[in-house]
Amino acid sequence: MNQEPHAPTTYALAAGAGADHVINYRDEDFGDAVERIAGPRPLDVVFDGVGADTFERGLEVLRPRGTMATFGNASGPVPPLAPLRLSAGGSLFLTRPTLAHHTLTRDELEGRAGDLFGWIAEGRLDVRIGARFALSDARSAHEALQGRATTGKVLLIP
């Protein structure tokens, strides 16, 4: 594995990417921290890539008619949810997007890829390469990803 020497901490990465506030849900209740910063139930949208450990608290910090986009299961899958929970939270919206559903046709795929690579070429999107692995070491790359030992993109080099 070839990782960036002296890789910055997650806090430094988030701040460097433009975050005004960085909260580690493992160190403190992120909902309490969000509400200290912005007031009660302040968020229009929560993007949750963690899953089981953060999902319910994420719903609790949404303002009425807010949206939860859950896209990952780093801590395990979200338990089943009764639709009445969304009503009780203030007519909340819930979505579980996947790339496959946003690239159903060749035209959609090419359009989205064109946008992405255009933003990179224009310098509007910074893609951080956090580690490079030889293709023959793909197992180690997967283990590093699964073990949360990576930041940024992980490349497999033939």
Side-chain angles (χ1 to χ4, degrees), residues 21-23 28-46 57-58 60-62:
H21 304 278
V22 181
I23 304 163
E28 63 182 313
D29 182 299
F30 76 91
D32 290 346
V34 165
E35 290 184 330
R36 269 194 313 275
I37 294 164
R41 298 188 62 197
L43 302 181
D44 291 314
V45 180
V46 170
R57 194 66 175 111
E60 292 170 0
V61 295
L62 285 169

Side-chain angles (χ1 to χ4, degrees), residues 67-93:
T67 299
M68 165 72 81
T70 177
F71 62 91
N73 296 317
S75 68
V78 172
L81 177 77
L84 285 175
R85 170 62 183 92
L86 301 175
S87 174
S91 297
L92 302 176
F93 295 87

Side-chain angles (χ1 to χ4, degrees), residues 68-149:
M68 165 72 81
T70 177
F71 62 91
N73 296 317
S75 68
V78 172
L81 177 77
L84 285 175
R85 170 62 183 92
L86 301 175
S87 174
S91 297
L92 302 176
F93 295 87
L94 174 64
T95 186
R96 174 63 181 197
T98 63
L99 180 60
H101 296 128
H102 290 272
T103 56
L104 289 174
T105 67
R106 181 76 183 177
D107 286 344
E108 284 181 317
L109 174 63
E110 289 177 358
R112 293 186 192 288
D115 286 344
L116 174 68
F117 291 117
W119 297 331
I120 293 169
E122 295 166 8
R124 294 174 49 199
L125 181 62
D126 180 28
V127 179
R128 182 175 186 285
I129 307 300
R132 292 172 174 81
F133 290 82
L135 182 57
S136 61
D137 204 16
R139 178 184 177 130
S140 295
H142 283 276
E143 289 169 349
L145 286 163
Q146 184 178 13
R148 295 183 172 183

